[in-house]
Amino acid sequence: LVAAALTTLVSVANWDVLSRPLGNQIPGVVLLSILGKLTLGGRVGPRWAAGVYLLLGGLIWAAPTSTIQDVYEIQKPVSDVGRSMLSLSGGALVSTGVFLAGLVRGIALPQCLALTFATDAALALKWALLEVSSLGGAKVGGFLWAISSLAVAALSLA
């Protein structure tokens, strides 16, 4: 969670291009920092880290338009490609949450990696089948992404 806080903090300047208000970014940095510190100190269980990644990632992945408008409060228009990329970034957070949840449950590292990359493959396949054509792209990229993620998942179990 500390890494998530730092990542959010260093990306503040990037959001300026879309006129995202600074005021709605700083509370997230503070909250993630506090939860991270409490987790590292053992005062909060590691389930919190998995839960935060799964919850926030799932919301961003499932609802990129409302994330842009209601959470990020971006007033400038965001393209369909931008919304799709934001959704994919939420998927990356979900994959991280799956990895952390596996570790919290006591699943061995190779199996956690397999779960993570299988999740990534499912997200890539959904993107290839349901989004990429409407963005003017070729599905083959999404399919290759899904296949390569499944290959990594399989190799992590070998």
Side-chain angles (χ1 to χ4, degrees):
L1 293 174
V2 172
L6 291 173
T7 302
T8 303
L9 183 62
V10 299
S11 69
V12 166
N14 296 331
W15 287 105
D16 192 47
V17 172
L18 294 172
S19 300
R20 180 179 177 190
L22 180 64
N24 77 2
Q25 297 174 72
I26 300 306
V29 171
V30 171
L31 179 62
L32 289 170
S33 297
I34 291 170
L35 281 173
K37 181 170 174 43
L38 292 173
T39 302
L40 289 173
R43 295 175 69 195
V44 171
R47 285 184 170 90
W48 277 91
V52 166
Y53 274 95
L54 288 168
L55 177 66
L56 294 180
L59 291 172
I60 294 167
W61 174 77
T65 299
S66 63
T67 298
I68 290 166
Q69 295 170 349
D70 302 330
V71 178
Y72 293 169
E73 299 175 1
I74 294 172
Q75 302 303 316
K76 292 187 176 183
V78 177
S79 69
D80 290 341
V81 171
R83 273 190 292 285
S84 180
M85 294 299 102
L86 180 63
S87 178
L88 289 174
S89 74
L93 292 174
V94 167
S95 292
T96 302
V98 166
F99 179 77
L100 294 172
L103 292 176
V104 167
R105 303 245 334 139
I107 298 172
L109 183 60
Q111 286 80 15
C112 289
L113 287 172
L115 287 170
T116 301
F117 280 94
T119 301
D120 190 56
L123 295 169
L125 190 58
K126 179 259 182 196
W127 182 74
L129 292 172
L130 301 178
E131 289 185 51
V132 74
S133 292
S134 67
L135 300 173
K139 291 182 179 184
V140 68
F143 291 137
L144 290 174
W145 174 17
I147 291 166
S148 64
S149 291
L150 283 176
V152 173
L155 287 171
S156 69
L157 295 174

